[in-house]
Amino acid sequence: MPLLTSVLVRGINNLSDARYCAGMGADYLTFRLDPALPGYLEPALVQELSGWVAGVQLVGEFDSLSIPEINALVSSCGLHYVLLHRRRTPEELAQLRVPALKLIKWIPDMLAEDVEKRFRDQQDHVAGFVLAQAPPEPLTAMQRAQLTQQARSYKVWLGTGFADTQTVRQLVEEVQPTGIVLEGGQEIKPGLRDFTELEAVFEQLEEE
């Protein structure tokens, strides 16, 4: 069934997650291909997992690797996008073989004009912004209004932590982000995975 918004699932590390999320309509699956990141996967495993799914965009997550190293993995793993943790210069971004998404952090006390500048300075060089981690405290009405304005102006994917499982649909309808970010998990044992949490979100996002 079609979903209300784009879905990006981070940290795919097993075949159960890859096949389930692709089958439920996720658009992007990310794999942590940088040894500096927790949950790092060997390129050979990413190649194996991606061979079992179709109709999704494959994304590599990177932090400290150089642009040539990233480009080599883009080619060997057949990636469509990269998700960058560290800010890169426009010159570096121009050398990437595929579009880049930028992981950004929510800073509760950051001035609205500084947030706007952060988006504006990078928007011409990246394909979108991934705001995966919500602040520990619920958003104030003013913060939610600012987030809604940012989502209208820029391509922003939001983590489900910005809403609970029962209100993620309301979040999507109100804020209208470019997409929602989910997190992959661990198999209980090979081939066995509890999809209760993911299923609840996908159900919320189904078009009626």
Side-chain angles (χ1 to χ4, degrees):
M1 181 177 290
L3 302 178
L4 288 173
T5 191
S6 173
V7 173
L8 180 152
V9 187
R10 295 181 65 204
I12 296 292
N13 61 20
N14 60 77
L15 183 57
S16 296
D17 271 14
R19 296 184 71 175
Y20 177 81
C21 293
M24 292 297 286
D27 299 296
Y28 305 86
L29 303 181
T30 86
F31 306 92
R32 295 187 174 119
L33 280 158
D34 190 323
L37 296 175
Y40 163 72
L41 295 186
E42 293 285 348
L45 179 55
V46 174
Q47 294 164 1
E48 179 182 349
L49 294 177
S50 63
W52 287 92
V53 296
V56 293
Q57 302 290 295
L58 306 177
V59 184
E61 284 199 39
F62 299 99
D63 182 15
S64 59
L65 291 185
S66 68
I67 297 298
E69 290 172 316
I70 292 173
N71 280 335
L73 288 165
V74 165
S75 297
S76 65
C77 294
L79 303 179
H80 303 99
Y81 287 83
V82 295
L83 174 57
L84 302 177
H85 289 223
R86 184 174 302 184
R87 187 165 179 173
R88 308 291 178 126
T89 66
E91 293 74 22
E92 288 178 303
L93 293 171
Q95 296 173 39
L96 287 170
R97 293 180 179 172
V98 294
L101 300 169
K102 178 65 177 66
L103 188 70
I104 60 174
K105 294 181 179 179
W106 176 276
I107 305 176
D109 56 355
M110 195 171 184
L111 296 175
E113 53 266 34
D114 292 336
V115 175
E116 172 68 20
K117 185 178 187 301
R118 179 174 63 163
F119 282 119
R120 189 175 61 247
D121 288 349
Q122 299 180 69
Q123 69 166 336
D124 291 338
H125 311 291
V126 298
F129 302 93
V130 176
L131 193 52
Q133 296 297 321
E137 299 296 328
L139 298 184
T140 65
M142 181 176 292
Q143 288 174 326
R144 199 173 181 96
Q146 291 172 347
L147 182 61
T148 301
Q149 181 58 47
Q150 291 157 9
R152 298 288 193 278
S153 303
Y154 307 100
K155 294 182 178 179
V156 179
W157 278 262
L158 295 178
T160 53
F162 283 88
D164 59 40
T165 303
Q166 300 305 314
T167 59
V168 66
R169 186 184 189 91
Q170 179 183 340
L171 174 74
V172 169
E173 293 175 341
E174 178 185 335
V175 178
Q176 297 182 23
T178 300
I180 288 294
V181 183
L182 304 180
E183 297 288 338
Q186 301 291 333
E187 291 180 309
I188 298 169
K189 62 181 182 179
L192 182 61
R193 170 83 158 87
D194 182 357
F195 290 113
T196 303
E197 291 185 11
L198 286 175
E199 183 180 18
V201 177
F202 277 115
E203 287 180 352
Q204 282 280 314
L205 296 177
E206 288 180 353
E207 288 188 353
E208 295 178 343

